[in-house]
Amino acid sequence: MFSTRAVNVDPSRAMVVLPPGGPPAVAVTQRQYDNAIAQTISLATRGRTPGENTIHVAFLTSADLPDGEGIAGNLLKEPGLDDHVLAAEMEERFPGVAMSTSAVFVQNKYGPFGYAYGRGVGNDGCIYVWQRLMRGDSLFRPKTGAASIRLRVCEPGASEASLLRLAYGYALNASLGRSGWDPIGEAPDPAPNLGEAGAPIYPAPQPSFDDVMAPRTTVVRPRPRPARAAPLRDTAPVETAVPDRPLEGYPTVPPPPSR
């Protein structure tokens, strides 16, 4: 008998995987609820900032959600997206780090997401990403469930653009085998002219994240002032008084012979 419902599973069973080059998963803790399955995916941590690189993910069914966690049986409350909820999460997972929430609209292959960036201890770059996946439920459409994702990463010397690549490239690695669970929906159809004759497609250069998220700034340096010319000194020869009699203590030099 164990005092917790959480169990450790193999990292290959993580419900969210990062793109190549991201910190690998080293441990996965999973907990089963009546309306959800939640995982805490521990990632390799190299930074000096207190805390652990993690992914908090939960797959929730269409069951009614409770008002608070731990009541109404073994049900999981969906993490909120309110400002005070996200601020409390960042204060807990980034102790002492000033995180700045981005006001830029960003979207990955699953839909819109939000993020905050800050500088941790030393030269650590830190990012916190939150995303909620759920199709539009209504009275005329059956509920499809939801997926909640939180990503916390601090990496030495990482820029905002490099950490955003993790948010754009991560992928869901699992699904709930329950009827009606489909928070993502079907993949969009390709363009109608794809593969058709007479519809050439040319490669278009895409701007890098460094150019989009961190545009270069031109530093205007003041022009050096021309050096002032040194004042001209009087170069006229200095007249020296010629003595009219021999000096005492010096030999007398005879004059040159006359021609």
Side-chain angles (χ1 to χ4, degrees):
M1 300 294 295
F2 294 91
S3 60
T4 178
R5 295 177 181 265
V7 295
N8 292 329
V9 298
D10 191 84
S12 62
R13 300 182 60 185
M15 296 192 298
V16 173
V17 293
L18 295 181
V26 296
V28 177
T29 303
Q30 179 173 299
R31 181 170 178 176
Q32 187 92 15
Y33 295 87
D34 291 342
N35 67 326
I37 294 179
Q39 285 186 349
T40 300
I41 305 170
S42 300
L43 306 173
T45 305
R46 301 183 304 165
R48 298 170 52 191
T49 304
E52 182 183 30
N53 291 344
T54 52
I55 302 176
H56 299 269
V57 55
F59 289 174
L60 300 99
T61 65
S62 58
D64 294 333
L65 300 179
D67 294 334
E69 187 176 356
I71 64 174
N74 184 33
L75 295 178
L76 174 65
K77 180 184 177 182
E78 181 184 1
L81 296 178
D82 297 331
D83 292 340
H84 67 278
V85 174
L86 296 172
E89 292 178 359
M90 287 187 284
E91 185 176 357
E92 176 186 357
R93 294 166 184 172
F94 299 91
V97 179
M99 301 295 294
S100 177
T101 302
S102 174
V104 179
F105 180 84
V106 287
Q107 179 174 313
N108 58 16
K109 57 187 175 182
Y110 297 115
F113 66 91
Y115 77 95
Y117 177 79
R119 280 291 174 183
V121 178
N123 195 29
D124 288 356
C126 299
I127 196 172
Y128 192 62
V129 178
W130 54 88
Q131 188 170 22
R132 180 176 185 261
L133 307 178
M134 187 180 71
R135 297 173 64 185
D137 296 333
S138 66
L139 296 175
F140 306 100
R141 183 183 301 173
K143 294 184 178 181
T144 57
S148 173
I149 302 169
R150 301 286 201 270
L151 171 64
R152 185 268 189 205
V153 173
C154 283
E155 283 290 317
S159 64
E160 181 177 349
S162 63
L163 294 177
L164 269 177
R165 291 188 178 94
L166 303 178
Y168 280 101
Y170 69 68
L172 301 186
N173 193 38
S175 64
L176 288 182
R178 300 184 182 182
S179 177
W181 192 85
D182 189 15
I184 304 173
E186 299 293 335
D189 295 331
N193 60 350
L194 184 64
E196 297 291 337
I201 298 177
Y202 301 97
Q206 299 294 329
S208 64
F209 282 103
D210 295 331
D211 297 334
V212 175
M213 303 306 301
R216 297 181 179 179
T217 56
T218 304
V219 180
V220 179
R221 298 182 178 179
R223 295 182 178 180
R225 296 181 179 179
R228 295 182 178 179
L232 298 177
R233 296 182 179 179
D234 188 7
T235 57
V238 179
E239 297 182 357
T240 306
V242 180
D244 54 354
R245 58 180 180 177
L247 299 178
E248 298 180 358
Y250 290 90
T252 301
V253 180
S258 59
R259 295 181 179 178

